[in-house]
Amino acid sequence: MLITACAAGCAAEPAAAPDSPAPLTAVSALGDFGTLDYCSLLDTTRLARSTVATPDSSFTGCQADFVQNGRQGSVTVGPLAADRDPNIQPYAYAGRLPDGITVQQSNFAPAETCARTITFAEGTRLSVTLSGGDADQRCARTDTVVDGVMTALTGGRVRHARFPDRSWGRVDACALLQSHDLDAASGADTQTAGGMTGHSCIRGKVSVDFAVVKQAPTGPAETLGGRNARVTSDGAFCRARAVQPSPATAGRAEQITVSVVDTTGSGGDAACPAARAAAEAVFAKIP
């Protein structure tokens, strides 16, 4: 009787609802942007019927060259971005997506390039681009690379780099621009604005960018900040570059670029005196 009475008069506790997965943000999926190994997101086996070279890892992306039916191409994952981009438009991506992630196409891309953008829940974007190869398969192959990125994000495959001592990957780009010896080139009242990974920074008219490159810059050499440097002008910009052998990857170089933009409209190499002065100060501070 007791059991019957309880069965009739006792309300059963509601079953606990299963936890819903939180929308996937870039931080939760990728971890520290500054040490992210973008090549851990690139699955080259997705490029079926292609001969793919070993991917090259930089501080802000990963690129692999390939040959498909005798036609050369390249695929790149990265960089990350957060600014608004009106060129990104929705399209019918057919793959499965984690909660909070969307995939768009970019209408602003070079010729013979298919560009996709993976957007995380908070709006941070990761670029995936494929250039060259067979034109009729280009975008389909780009989507298979995006599929591979999704598998890496949800399958515990995201890795991070450990930059060796003296690697420029350990340098905070904005710290290089915060001293008063850059006031003249950048503007005394300007503030630094860092890139998402810490490997680039802008202060007024001056910017600093670190990268890993296959080939050192060419041109006449000069000494700036105690380093061999090359200075080139491009439109309103003048850039001073220096390199060192990569401590992490044989046959590659780490490169620092100091750029200054001319705002007077003079063009040519009008910004180069300021670029040299800025590079003199910046290059002396890197290890």
Side-chain angles (χ1 to χ4, degrees):
M1 294 296 294
L2 181 59
I3 296 176
T4 302
C6 188
C10 298
E13 293 186 6
D19 292 337
S20 299
L24 199 59
T25 65
V27 171
S28 62
L30 302 173
D32 180 8
F33 297 159
T35 60
L36 175 62
D37 179 0
Y38 291 82
C39 286
S40 66
L41 307 177
L42 176 58
D43 181 0
T44 57
T45 65
R46 304 274 173 166
L47 298 172
R49 296 183 296 281
S50 299
T51 302
V52 187
T54 301
D56 268 320
S57 179
S58 187
F59 298 137
T60 57
C62 177
Q63 178 178 315
D65 296 328
F66 65 88
V67 177
Q68 178 192 21
N69 295 330
R71 298 176 180 174
Q72 295 183 339
S74 65
V75 58
T76 304
V77 175
L80 290 165
D83 55 314
R84 183 178 178 274
D85 187 347
N87 298 298
I88 293 175
Q89 303 293 332
Y91 82 108
Y93 172 71
R96 297 183 62 181
L97 295 173
D99 186 39
I101 287 187
T102 57
V103 178
Q104 298 87 22
Q105 63 184 349
S106 175
N107 295 331
F108 184 75
E112 299 187 352
T113 298
C114 187
R116 302 303 196 213
T117 298
I118 299 170
T119 303
F120 294 87
E122 83 283 23
T124 300
R125 304 190 310 277
L126 176 69
S127 297
V128 177
T129 58
L130 192 148
S131 300
D134 287 345
D136 59 345
Q137 300 180 35
R138 188 174 298 134
C139 284
R141 282 175 170 259
T142 307
D143 284 345
T144 65
V145 175
V146 172
D147 293 342
V149 174
M150 297 302 168
T151 299
L153 294 177
T154 59
R157 300 182 185 178
V158 178
R159 300 190 306 267
H160 289 81
R162 294 184 179 180
F163 299 123
D165 291 342
R166 301 190 64 81
S167 169
W168 292 344
R170 300 166 67 101
V171 178
D172 180 352
C174 281
L176 300 174
L177 297 180
Q178 290 170 346
S179 58
H180 289 299
D181 51 7
L182 273 299
D183 287 354
S186 62
D189 298 325
T190 53
Q191 302 296 317
T192 57
M196 296 193 68
T197 66
H199 302 302
S200 63
C201 190
I202 298 174
R203 179 187 170 193
K205 295 182 290 184
V206 182
S207 64
V208 171
D209 178 80
F210 289 99
V212 178
V213 297
K214 293 181 181 180
Q215 296 178 335
T218 59
E222 56 187 282
T223 301
L224 296 172
R227 294 185 176 274
N228 289 330
R230 268 78 175 175
V231 178
T232 58
S233 59
D234 178 15
F237 289 88
C238 188
R239 298 181 173 91
R241 294 182 172 93
V243 296
Q244 70 169 2
S246 171
T249 307
R252 296 293 180 264
E254 293 182 346
Q255 176 176 274
I256 180 173
T257 302
V258 174
S259 300
V260 174
V261 61
D262 172 58
T263 57
T264 67
S266 300
D269 57 358
C272 287
R276 286 184 168 91
E280 186 80 37
V282 170
F283 291 172
K285 300 174 185 176
I286 54 179

